[in-house]
Amino acid sequence: MIINGILSIINPTCLLLILGGVIMGIIFGALPGLTSTMGVALCLPLTFSMNTIQSLSLLIGVYVGGISGGLISAILLKIPGTPSSIATTFDGGPMAERGEAGKALSVGLFYSFLGTMFGVALMIFMAPSIAQITIKFSCYEYFAIGVFSLTMVGSLVSGNPLKGLASCVVGLCLAMVGLAPVSSTLRYTYGNHNLDSGFALLAVMVGLFAVADILTSAKEGFEEDKGSIRKDYKLQGIGVSRKEFIQQLPNAFRSALIGMGIGILPGIGGGTSNMIAYAVAKNASNRPEKFGTGCIDGIIASETSNNAGIGGALITLLTLGIPGDTVTAMMLSAFMMHGLSTGPMLFKTDGVLVYGIFAAVVLATVFMFLAEYGFMAGFVRILAIPRYILLPVIVVLCVIGTFGNNNRVFDVWTVLIFGLIGFAMKELGFSLSPMILGFILESTIETNLIRGLQLSKNNWMAFFTRPISVVFYLLAIVSIVMALRKMIRANKTVGQEERIA
């Protein structure tokens, strides 16, 4: 069965589809405003005339290429190409600005490759047993995970924790606009039907990270030295030395486990895992102050986790029939188009297809690494383009990407509005990452809070009676304590400096 599954992929048609999908995915992931979800959605109609394995080969290629491709714009332009690469901008951008774009890209690409391979390995060998754990997860566990994730705000903010908390609260409030998740009651729309479905995540992300950065650049001016980045770079193998590779093993392994674990949980995805992995890496570091200034630790944490999540998302799709993220939801449509039902029985009824999918993911990962590494010089050349030329092009791509996602002009206005909000927050010293984290997690937290209260008949203690939930609450407490310790140490350091002065 395993051999037959591998042989079903090793043919010119499937190999070309995987390669073409990877290249298309990299393009969609790298261009701000376009995502792997959109790439898979656009490719879905093309698969109508294909057989099942050919269809999934193309879609898997787009998926793998799109998740990794987001690091290109995140590093070169400080604009995440996808939500999965938000944390990559924190250190990738500063490294590119000081002339280390090649190193940052190489590190990101190499650990994207390792993260995906780690996720695929666990998917192949541990899919059934890992998926069984998630069966025990109810609304109480998902609520606990959301609460734990919010406690990461303290780790994502290097300055005033109160400003980070305020930014997170703003994100939570903005995510509540539109239909309530359980009752479907309209709220905070003020009669505007464009707000019935709330603010689109893609539009919010593009506005906060792309338009806000463009407005900041416009404020600074477009002088030749300031308006464009003209730095030489030298690729040194995979971007890390043997010593650095050994030092980063705990960070990479921990981040891969985080990405894999969150990928298994339906509906959360790489947009959350990369930020949590980044925050955990910062907490575990002996020098947390270097994060955000251009260190490879942050890039490794972000890119390893978001790519490891691919294997996790596919585990829930194949073994439980539940899409782990929006991309696998699109892939579920491909299964349905071809008359297949995903779930535990798929391994028994069509094991050849399952192992063919495993082989396709492995090949897509290899093609992704070779394609991005081969065109690395071309990607870095983007840095030489003057910003007064590059930024208007980015604005156009952002508009096209957000409009094409839902075909709504309102989303274009959302990009502009959130761009102004992001610009104002940056000027006032507020961090944008907690706001995005709050915006992403609000639906998960609110939905499972309401469901838990309904099941327990408004008994709050029910949230603290399940062992898995208690573990996440304890982790949340540990995270809060560590954030408070960091704040106290920072205040002591400032006090000592003032006394010395």
Side-chain angles (χ1 to χ4, degrees):
M1 186 181 296
I2 297 177
I3 296 176
N4 289 335
I6 296 174
L7 292 177
S8 67
I9 290 293
I10 308 298
N11 61 76
T13 302
C14 287
L15 292 177
L16 287 174
L17 287 172
I18 294 173
L19 178 60
V22 165
I23 294 174
M24 185 179 299
I26 292 173
I27 294 172
F28 272 86
L31 294 177
L34 307 181
T35 64
S36 55
T37 303
M38 186 176 180
V40 170
L42 292 178
C43 289
L44 199 58
L46 302 178
T47 64
F48 289 158
S49 59
M50 301 178 186
N51 61 40
T52 307
I53 195 63
Q54 291 175 350
S55 170
L56 294 174
S57 295
L58 176 62
L59 298 181
I60 287 172
V62 177
Y63 186 15
V64 174
I67 296 296
S68 178
L71 70 90
I72 298 171
S73 57
I75 292 172
L76 299 184
L77 305 174
K78 294 179 68 175
I79 300 172
T82 66
S84 300
S85 299
I86 292 174
T88 307
T89 63
F90 301 159
D91 287 287
M95 285 185 68
E97 288 177 344
R98 65 169 182 249
E100 298 181 6
K103 180 178 178 65
L105 286 167
S106 296
V107 169
L109 175 56
F110 178 62
Y111 282 92
S112 292
F113 175 78
L114 291 184
T116 309
M117 282 300 188
F118 178 87
V120 171
L122 287 185
M123 178 180 68
I124 293 173
F125 297 108
M126 301 178 64
S129 57
I130 290 178
Q132 288 300 317
I133 298 175
T134 63
I135 295 176
K136 300 179 181 180
F137 276 51
S138 66
C139 52
Y140 301 112
E141 282 76 17
Y142 283 117
F143 176 77
I145 292 170
V147 172
F148 164 65
S149 300
L150 285 183
T151 63
M152 290 292 143
V153 168
S155 301
L156 292 171
V157 180
S158 57
N160 190 336
L162 293 179
K163 286 189 174 182
L165 179 61
S167 179
C168 181
V169 171
V170 171
L172 289 169
C173 293
L174 289 171
M176 296 176 68
V177 175
L179 291 173
V182 177
S183 64
S184 296
T185 303
L186 284 175
R187 56 191 183 182
Y188 310 122
T189 60
Y190 303 101
N192 188 338
H193 294 296
N194 289 312
L195 292 172
D196 288 353
S197 57
F199 297 108
L201 173 60
L202 177 64
V204 172
M205 184 193 70
V206 171
L208 289 177
F209 285 92
V211 176
D213 195 62
I214 291 170
L215 292 175
T216 301
S217 298
K219 178 192 173 187
E220 294 174 351
F222 294 119
E223 291 88 353
E224 183 175 349
D225 293 334
K226 185 184 295 185
S228 60
I229 303 173
R230 301 176 183 274
K231 302 289 185 181
D232 295 328
Y233 74 97
K234 292 181 179 179
L235 294 179
Q236 299 177 353
I238 57 176
V240 290
S241 64
R242 181 180 299 178
K243 180 180 178 181
E244 288 176 323
F245 178 78
I246 295 174
Q247 290 175 342
Q248 293 296 332
L249 278 177
N251 181 18
F253 184 68
R254 179 180 59 242
S255 301
L257 289 177
I258 291 173
M260 187 73 182
I262 292 178
I264 291 173
L265 304 177
I268 299 182
T272 302
S273 66
N274 77 105
M275 297 181 71
I276 292 179
Y278 183 89
V280 171
K282 186 175 180 180
N283 275 336
S285 175
N286 295 325
R287 296 177 56 198
E289 68 279 358
K290 68 181 180 179
F291 281 75
T293 62
C295 67
I296 61 173
D297 306 54
I299 297 176
I300 290 171
S302 176
E303 289 303 317
T304 306
S305 62
N306 62 26
N307 283 272
I310 294 175
L314 288 174
I315 283 177
T316 54
L317 175 67
L318 296 176
T319 60
L320 298 178
I322 302 172
D325 54 19
T326 54
V327 181
T328 47
M330 296 289 180
M331 295 178 66
L332 180 60
S333 302
F335 277 98
M336 297 173 64
M337 281 192 319
H338 292 280
L340 294 172
S341 297
T342 57
M345 292 302 295
L346 184 65
F347 286 80
K348 295 183 178 180
T349 60
D350 209 336
V352 173
L353 175 64
V354 172
Y355 287 102
I357 292 172
F358 292 164
V361 179
V362 173
L363 287 173
T365 305
V366 175
F367 287 161
M368 173 270 293
F369 180 80
L370 296 177
E372 287 196 40
Y373 199 87
F375 292 105
M376 187 71 73
F379 296 142
V380 178
R381 285 181 65 86
I382 296 175
L383 293 175
I385 302 175
R387 288 203 169 189
Y388 64 83
I389 296 175
L390 181 62
L391 294 183
V393 175
I394 294 175
V395 171
V396 172
L397 292 175
C398 290
V399 170
I400 293 174
T402 49
F403 177 79
N405 190 47
N406 291 317
N407 293 321
R408 295 197 310 169
V409 176
F410 178 76
D411 286 346
V412 178
W413 286 107
T414 301
V415 169
L416 176 60
I417 292 170
F418 276 88
L420 294 172
I421 292 173
F423 174 73
M425 291 180 67
K426 289 172 69 175
E427 290 296 305
L428 295 173
F430 287 86
S431 177
L432 298 180
S433 51
M435 181 176 174
I436 284 291
L437 186 63
F439 191 90
I440 292 173
L441 292 174
E442 191 279 333
S443 177
T444 299
I445 294 173
E446 183 182 8
T447 300
N448 292 290
L449 172 63
I450 295 173
R451 288 176 179 170
L453 291 174
Q454 289 176 338
L455 288 173
S456 64
K457 297 181 180 180
N458 294 327
N459 180 12
W460 285 90
M461 292 306 299
F463 288 87
F464 304 96
T465 57
R466 298 174 69 93
I468 298 176
S469 298
V470 172
V471 170
F472 280 107
Y473 290 133
L474 291 175
L475 291 173
I477 293 173
V478 170
S479 177
I480 292 171
V481 170
M482 293 182 70
L484 290 175
R485 286 180 60 190
K486 183 182 72 172
M487 182 175 65
I488 292 171
R489 287 177 179 176
N491 290 335
K492 286 183 178 179
T493 302
V494 173
Q496 290 175 355
E497 291 177 351
E498 289 178 350
R499 285 194 296 270
I500 294 173

